[in-house]
């Protein structure tokens, strides 16, 4: 038996010791299983072994130090995606016939041994995604047979030799990303005419961008993002000869200037272009619409201005468009043509006007950000019906008016909803309860009125709720304390009554209820006045009902008093009137007396005193 191939199965446990008993074995391929434990001790008996593939398992322990002396005929050693720890043994350098060595995605530490430089036939070296540190031995760069060299995602440091491109004439894949390399990017890279993929991202490289990379006719990936490169963006013109270019990433540097019109002549195969987080300015050339196969376009965090070109609507394959934090002033209606668009970020610009109704055609959107602009008018029903939005929906810091449409219930899968700091009014719609996946809800800084809807109690996954700076009235609903909230802000409304004490209301640092003088109770840390006994929980009448009752009673009493007073005064007036119209009792007696004295004198006239 010369081969053992057990790939893509579900074998578990340690590698059987029996495998190491056959000195005739030439190939051991146990990839994509669940083998654990260390390498078999007797594996060294397989002195004729040429290929050892143990990648994508659960192997642990150290790489045996005697490994380099056990396999004189070994040509490929692949241990990727395991749990191997420790250091790379210097004896690896004794495997003189080795042309492929890969320890990617393990837990290796220490330095890269200089002994690797003795492997003069090595074409493939990948030690990426480990915890290796120190500097790469300069002698390793003398292995002219390299086609792939990757040390990505480690803790390596030092400079890259300026003549790297000349030393590695056959190199196709260069991976130095996610380390702490310094110095300049070698201009000699253009000498490695077969280069296809360059990864120099997330280091501390300085200086200029290589200007003559346009001679790399096989170039597919150019990734220099996240460094401190200071240059003019005009270097893009030199890349128009790279007809196979698919990925161009130079975001997160110190690049300046305006985007040249030559961007229209970049490869038609370009899929991803990221120029964000630089110091670019000016307008976007309309010719950018020629890049018909773009799936990702990132120009965020620059100083671009003017209109977003209408030609951007030609990107039928565009999945991500990120133009946030610029100075754009107008959006094209052609945005609605981006039928494959999944994420749209346009926040923090100077965009004026209403929200384009055509956005309702982007039926694949999962994230929409139009925040921090000068948008006005109502929220279009067309975008409220985009049920695909699940990550975030952000319209905050604009001048939107009208109500929050009840169609918001269509956003059933939405996690974050933010329409804060607009001019929205009327009541908070009960239909918000249809957004069952909501985790963050921001409605602050508007003119919402009425009570906090009881229907929000259905949002059981809500972690953050901000309703501050509105015109909300009524009691604080007790159900809020039953939600799994981590942050709550109800400040500066017109809420009154007793503050609940359960759930988030137990943590004074997690809530804000300032700016309302008619609240009472709550935990002691809130420093609110105690609620009157008439407002206790044992009273079946709500605080609001009691106030209404008090007002009614007061009105009834006042009305009765007014009626009684009116009747009393009326009787007094009638009494006085009657008294004034009748002769007094004394006058009656006097009148009779005189009449008697005059009775016998028929000639005398009756007199009245």
């Amino acid at each position: 038996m010369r081969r053992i191939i057990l790939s893509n199965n579900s074998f578990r446990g340690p590698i059987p010791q029996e495998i190491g008993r056959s000195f005739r074995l030439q190939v051991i391929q146990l990839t994509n299983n669940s083998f654990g434990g260390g390498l078999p001790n007797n594996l060294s008996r397989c002195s004729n072994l040429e290929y050892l593939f143990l990648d994508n398992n659960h192997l642990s322990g150290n790489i045996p130090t005697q490994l380099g002396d056990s396999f004189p005929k070994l040509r490929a050693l692949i241990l990727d995606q395991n749990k191997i720890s420790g250091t790379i043994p210097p004896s690896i350098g004794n495997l003189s016939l080795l042309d492929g060595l890969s320890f990617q995605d393990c837990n290796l530490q220490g330095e890269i041994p200089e002994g690797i430089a003795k492997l003069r036939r090595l074409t493939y070296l990948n030690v990426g995604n480990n915890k290796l540190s120190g500097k790469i031995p300069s002698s390793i760069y003398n292995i002219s047979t390299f086609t792939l060299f990757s040390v990505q995602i480690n803790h390596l440091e030092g400079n890259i030799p300026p003549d790297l491109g000349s030393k590695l004439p056959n190199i196709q894949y260069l991976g130095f990303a996610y380390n702490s390399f310094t110095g300049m990017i070698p201009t000699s890279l253009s000498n490695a005419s077969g280069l296809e993929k360059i990864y120099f991202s997330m280091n501390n490289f300085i200086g200029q961008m290589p200007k003559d990379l346009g001679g790399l006719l096989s170039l597919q990936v150019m990734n220099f993002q996240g460094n401190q490169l200071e240059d003019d963006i005009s270097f893009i013109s030199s890349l128009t000869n790279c007809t196979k270019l698919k990925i161009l990433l130079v975001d997160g540097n110190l690049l300046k200037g305006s985007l040249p019109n030559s961007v229209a002549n970049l490869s038609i195969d370009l899929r991803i272009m990221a120029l964000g987080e630089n110091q670019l300015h000016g307008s976007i050339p309309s010719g950018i619409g020629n890049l018909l196969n773009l799936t990702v376009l990132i120009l965020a965090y620059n100083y671009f201005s003017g209109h977003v070109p209408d030609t951007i609507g030609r990107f039928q394959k565009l999945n991500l468009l990120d133009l946030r934090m610029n100075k754009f002033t107008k959006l094209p209606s052609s945005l609605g043509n981006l039928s494959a668009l999944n994420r749209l970020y346009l926040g923090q610009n100077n965009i004026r006007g209403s929200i384009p109704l055509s956005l309702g055609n982007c039926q694949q959107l999962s994230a929409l950000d139009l925040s921090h602009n000068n948008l006005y008018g109502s929220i279009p029903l067309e975008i409220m019906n985009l049920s695909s939005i699940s990550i975030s929906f952000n319209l905050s810091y604009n001048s939107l008016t009208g109500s929050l449409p009840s169609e918001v219930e269509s956003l059933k899968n939405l996690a974050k909803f933010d329409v804060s700091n607009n001019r929205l009014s009327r009541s908070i719609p009960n239909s918000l309860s249809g957004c069952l996946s909501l985790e963050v809800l921001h409605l602050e800084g508007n003119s919402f009125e009425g009570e906090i809807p009881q229907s929000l109690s259905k949002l059981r996954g809500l972690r953050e709720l901000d309703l501050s700076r509105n015109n909300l009235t009524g009691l604080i609903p007790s159900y809020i304390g039953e939600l799994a909230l981590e942050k709550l802000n109800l400040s500066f409304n017109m809420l009154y009554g007793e503050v609940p004490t359960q759930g988030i209301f137990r943590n004074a640092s997690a809530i804000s209820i300032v700016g309302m003088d008619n609240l009472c109770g709550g935990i002691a840390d809130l420093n609110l006045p105690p609620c009157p006994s008439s407002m206790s929980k044992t009273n079946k009448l709500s605080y609001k009902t009691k106030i209404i009752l008090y007002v009614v009673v007061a009105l009834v009493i006042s009305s009765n008093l007014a009626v009684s007073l009116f009747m009393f005064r009326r009787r007094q007036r009638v009494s006085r009137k009657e008294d004034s119209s009748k002769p007094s009792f004394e006058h009656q007696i006097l009148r009779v007396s005189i009449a008697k004295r005059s009775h016998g004198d028929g000639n005398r006239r009756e007199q009245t005193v």
Side-chain angles (χ1 to χ4, degrees):
M1 183 172 60
R2 297 179 181 273
R3 297 171 179 263
I4 295 180
I5 300 177
L6 299 173
S7 299
N8 302 307
N9 288 292
S10 301
F11 292 104
R12 299 177 179 275
I15 296 175
Q17 291 286 336
E18 289 78 6
I19 289 179
R21 295 175 183 174
S22 178
F23 71 93
R24 294 182 180 181
L25 272 177
Q26 294 178 322
V27 178
I28 298 178
Q29 185 171 343
L30 306 179
T31 60
N32 300 317
N33 283 288
S34 298
F35 286 116
L39 298 177
N41 294 328
N42 60 354
L43 200 61
S44 58
R45 297 179 183 179
C46 303
S47 56
N48 289 305
L49 196 63
E50 296 181 14
Y51 298 95
L52 180 57
F53 300 103
L54 302 176
D55 47 306
N56 198 12
N57 279 284
H58 302 301
L59 299 174
S60 58
N62 297 343
I63 300 175
T65 56
Q66 69 274 20
L67 185 145
D69 301 318
S70 302
F71 308 116
K73 298 181 180 181
L74 197 65
R75 298 181 59 184
L77 175 60
I78 312 297
L79 301 178
D80 297 348
Q81 299 180 48
N82 278 288
K83 300 178 180 179
I84 297 171
S85 57
T87 60
I88 300 174
S91 63
I92 290 289
N94 296 332
L95 302 174
S96 58
L97 298 181
L98 204 64
D99 59 28
L101 177 63
S102 186
F103 300 144
Q104 183 184 14
D105 198 9
C106 293
N107 291 309
L108 297 173
Q109 302 177 14
E111 299 184 351
I112 297 175
E114 191 168 1
I116 290 179
K118 297 189 295 182
L119 305 176
R120 311 307 295 181
R121 298 187 180 186
L122 203 59
T123 62
Y124 185 103
L125 175 63
N126 190 345
V127 292
N129 200 9
N130 282 285
K131 300 176 182 178
L132 301 173
S133 57
K135 297 181 179 180
I136 298 175
S138 59
S139 56
I140 290 182
Y141 296 118
N142 294 325
I143 303 177
S144 60
T145 54
F146 274 136
T147 59
L148 184 147
F149 182 86
S150 178
V151 293
Q152 300 183 104
I153 316 178
N154 279 289
H155 306 302
L156 300 170
E157 57 187 23
N159 294 350
I160 307 300
D163 56 350
L164 179 67
S166 301
K167 287 188 172 184
L168 306 179
N170 300 307
I171 197 70
Q172 298 175 6
Y173 185 112
L174 267 179
F176 291 91
Y178 288 89
N179 280 286
S180 299
F181 292 114
T182 54
M184 299 181 67
I185 294 176
T187 57
S188 63
L189 290 179
S190 58
N191 296 330
S193 58
L195 255 179
E196 298 177 0
K197 299 178 181 180
I198 307 174
Y199 294 93
F200 279 71
S201 58
M202 306 309 293
N203 280 285
N204 298 309
F205 291 115
I206 60 173
Q208 296 184 336
M209 192 77 65
K211 293 291 194 301
D212 49 2
L213 295 182
L216 302 177
L217 302 183
S218 298
L219 190 62
Q220 299 176 25
V221 178
M222 177 179 165
N223 187 350
F224 293 156
Q225 64 184 165
N227 284 286
Q228 300 176 42
L229 300 173
E230 301 182 60
D231 201 2
D232 191 281
I233 195 65
S234 61
F235 76 89
I236 281 183
S237 297
S238 68
L239 299 177
T240 56
N241 293 328
C242 303
T243 57
K244 296 182 180 180
L245 189 64
K246 296 180 180 179
I247 298 176
L248 174 60
L249 306 176
V250 293
D251 47 315
N253 281 284
L254 302 172
L255 303 177
K256 301 178 181 179
S258 58
L259 197 59
N261 291 328
S262 59
V263 69
N265 300 323
L266 289 174
S267 169
I268 191 65
D269 289 330
L270 194 64
R271 301 288 192 274
I272 301 175
M273 182 165 70
L275 310 180
E277 296 183 67
N278 282 289
Q279 300 173 20
L280 307 178
H281 62 268
S283 60
I284 300 177
S286 60
I288 199 172
N290 293 347
L291 307 178
L292 298 178
N293 289 303
L294 273 181
T295 60
V296 174
L297 177 60
I298 301 176
L299 303 178
Y301 296 93
N302 279 291
Y303 302 99
F304 288 114
S305 58
H307 296 185
V308 177
D310 190 66
T311 55
I312 214 163
R314 300 175 63 189
F315 298 148
Q316 294 297 303
K317 298 180 181 180
L318 197 66
N319 182 266
L320 167 62
L321 178 59
D322 191 348
L323 304 180
R324 69 187 125 177
M325 202 67 181
N326 279 285
K327 297 181 179 181
F328 293 115
T329 56
K330 187 176 180 181
L331 297 178
S333 59
S334 63
L335 282 177
N337 298 336
L338 304 178
S339 56
L341 197 62
N342 182 261
R343 286 171 289 171
L344 176 60
Y345 300 107
L346 295 168
Q348 295 175 287
N349 279 282
N350 296 322
I351 300 169
R352 295 187 60 84
S354 56
I355 298 174
L357 302 182
S358 62
L359 280 178
N361 298 328
C362 301
Q363 296 292 318
Q364 304 299 318
L365 268 183
S366 66
L368 175 63
D369 182 3
L370 298 174
S371 64
H372 293 267
N373 280 291
N374 296 307
L375 298 170
Y376 52 77
S378 59
I379 301 176
L381 300 183
E382 286 80 357
I383 65 170
M384 297 304 292
N385 285 318
L386 288 173
S387 58
S388 59
I389 300 181
S390 59
I391 299 173
S392 63
F393 190 120
N394 193 345
L395 303 178
S396 63
Y397 289 93
N398 281 287
S399 299
L400 300 172
T401 55
S403 61
L404 181 60
S406 60
E407 285 77 5
V408 68
E409 64 184 349
S410 299
L411 307 174
K412 298 183 184 302
N413 301 310
L414 183 60
K416 181 178 180 180
F417 186 53
D418 191 345
V419 291
S420 63
N421 297 288
N422 279 282
R423 299 176 183 175
L424 301 174
S425 58
R426 303 178 188 172
S427 60
I428 298 173
N430 286 316
S431 56
L432 254 177
S433 62
C435 305
L436 296 177
S437 298
L438 268 184
E439 298 178 8
V440 177
L441 177 58
H442 281 266
L443 303 179
E444 72 269 17
N446 284 285
S447 297
F448 289 116
E449 57 192 30
E451 297 184 347
I452 300 174
Q454 289 290 326
S455 58
L456 296 187
S457 61
K458 297 179 181 179
L459 305 180
R460 310 307 294 183
L462 207 58
R463 295 183 293 103
E464 188 173 315
L465 176 62
D466 196 332
L467 303 177
S468 63
R469 293 182 289 115
N470 280 288
N471 299 317
L472 300 174
T473 59
L475 300 172
I476 298 176
S478 59
Y479 72 78
I480 292 180
E482 300 171 3
L483 301 176
L485 287 172
E486 299 172 3
K487 185 177 180 181
L488 173 66
N489 192 348
L490 302 175
S491 298
F492 299 103
N493 279 286
M494 294 182 286
L495 302 172
Y496 52 77
E498 188 169 13
V499 175
T501 57
Q502 72 272 31
I504 193 171
F505 293 102
R506 298 174 183 170
N507 185 357
S509 62
I511 66 173
S512 178
I513 51 174
V514 300
M516 295 177 286
D517 296 331
N518 294 320
L519 293 176
C520 63
I523 62 173
D525 290 344
L526 296 176
N527 297 315
L528 295 174
C531 295
S533 58
S534 59
M535 292 160 50
S536 66
K537 294 181 181 179
T538 57
N539 196 321
K540 295 183 179 180
L541 293 176
S542 68
Y543 179 58
K544 183 177 180 180
T545 304
K546 293 175 185 177
I547 290 179
I548 295 174
L549 181 60
Y550 294 156
V551 171
V552 170
V553 171
L555 288 174
V556 171
I557 294 174
S558 299
S559 299
N560 289 338
L561 287 174
V563 170
S564 299
L565 182 61
F566 174 78
M567 295 299 294
F568 175 74
R569 290 179 175 175
R570 183 179 179 184
R571 285 194 296 270
Q572 283 186 327
R573 287 195 298 270
V574 170
S575 177
R576 285 195 295 269
K577 185 176 181 181
E578 290 176 349
D579 290 343
S580 61
S581 62
K582 295 179 181 181
S584 66
F585 182 70
E586 292 179 343
H587 289 177
Q588 293 281 358
I589 297 174
L590 185 59
R591 187 187 298 267
V592 171
S593 175
I594 294 175
K596 286 182 177 180
R597 286 197 299 269
S598 305
H599 187 268
D601 189 357
N603 295 324
R604 292 184 63 182
R605 184 177 301 173
E606 180 179 356
Q607 296 182 7
T608 303
V609 177

